[in-house]
Amino acid sequence: MKHCTVSCDTPTGVLECELDLPDDATIDAAITAARGRLGEDRADWECAATGVFGRVQPRSHVPLDGDRIELYRPLTIDPRASRRLRAQLGADKRS
């Protein structure tokens, strides 16, 4: 058995649960188990990108004991565009 944390980013905040999984369990198996605990409507369980400790991994990946499995939600704004806008606003204030 291995112990993992499943974390999903939702519009209302990050939700987490701790799971004990078989040694050969995949990310998909962990997400299926977490779905029952965290609630059906809390995340895009079927389509969201997944990863381990901030690195995108396929659902077929077998996480290690102690890994933090993450379910990501799509970005609402492009981070580069946001930085450019902030830089432009800062430049306008200095002028």
Side-chain angles (χ1 to χ4, degrees):
M1 293 292 277
K2 61 185 169 187
H3 186 80
C4 293
T5 302
V6 175
S7 175
C8 62
D9 189 10
T10 70
T12 58
V14 176
L15 299 175
E16 289 187 344
C17 72
E18 304 283 326
L19 298 171
D20 289 316
L21 302 165
D23 289 332
D24 61 347
T26 62
I27 286 177
D28 193 50
I31 288 172
T32 300
R35 186 177 189 170
R37 288 191 184 180
L38 297 177
E40 285 290 319
D41 59 341
R42 296 300 202 145
D44 184 2
W45 298 104
E46 299 297 324
C47 300
T50 58
V52 175
F53 288 120
R55 294 189 147 199
V56 175
Q57 296 286 349
R59 290 175 181 244
S60 59
H61 176 78
V62 177
L64 302 173
D65 183 47
D67 276 355
R68 176 185 162 109
I69 300 162
E70 300 162 338
L71 195 68
Y72 306 118
R73 64 184 171 111
L75 297 175
T76 56
I77 186 168
D78 177 22
R80 286 186 222 167
S82 177
R83 273 194 302 276
R84 284 187 202 111
L85 179 61
R86 285 193 313 269
Q88 182 61 44
L89 290 173
D92 290 345
K93 286 181 183 178
R94 285 181 256 146
S95 298

